[in-house]
Amino acid sequence: MALARLGRDDHRLAISAADCATLEPLASAWLARGVSLDYLTTALTAGLPARIDSPAGLLHRRLTDKIPPHIPRTAESRSPDTKEPTHEALLVECTNCRRPGPPQALPDGLCRPCHHAHTHGGDPTTPTPDEVAAVKAHVANLRNLLKPV
C-alpha cells in the first residue's frame, strides 16, 4: 500500500504496520474519491517540515485535512448498465463575473457576455443592456424622491 511505501521514499515518514492499519480507512476514502496512488503520495509528502516527531500523527492530519472533494462520476466513467440521471443540477460560475449557469452555457468557463468581450477585445466589466436600464431606472427613481413636494 502507498502508506507503507512512504517510509521508503522518505525516512521521516516511516510508520509501523499498526499505524498503516489505523490510517488505511482514511487513505481508502481518498482512493474512493477517484485519486490515484501517485496523487495521494504527492499530497502527503509535499512540503514536509525538516523534523517530524510523529509521522503517523502528521499523516493522519494530512489525510484528514487535505482530503479532496468528491467528484461526481461523469458519463464516460459510468458502466454501460448504469442509468443516466434524469436531472442534472450541476451549476458552475463564470470565472470572470461569477454569474452562475449550467456547464454547457459557460464554454471555456466564461458566460456569453464575458466570452464575447474576451474574444472581441472588449472590457469584460462593461454592463449588459439590462444592467444599464436597471441603473437608469434606479437613478430616475432617486431623482423623483429628491424633488420638492
Side-chain angles (χ1 to χ4, degrees), residues 58-80:
L58 175 80
L59 292 173
H60 183 275
R61 182 70 182 209
R62 286 189 172 201
L63 284 168
T64 304
D65 291 350
K66 295 174 90 174
I67 190 164
H70 178 71
I71 299 174
R73 293 177 58 173
T74 61
E76 298 86 36
S77 67
R78 289 188 185 111
S79 61

Side-chain angles (χ1 to χ4, degrees), residues 37-49:
L37 288 176
D38 289 334
Y39 180 89
L40 175 67
T41 303
T42 302
L44 294 176
T45 58
L48 290 173

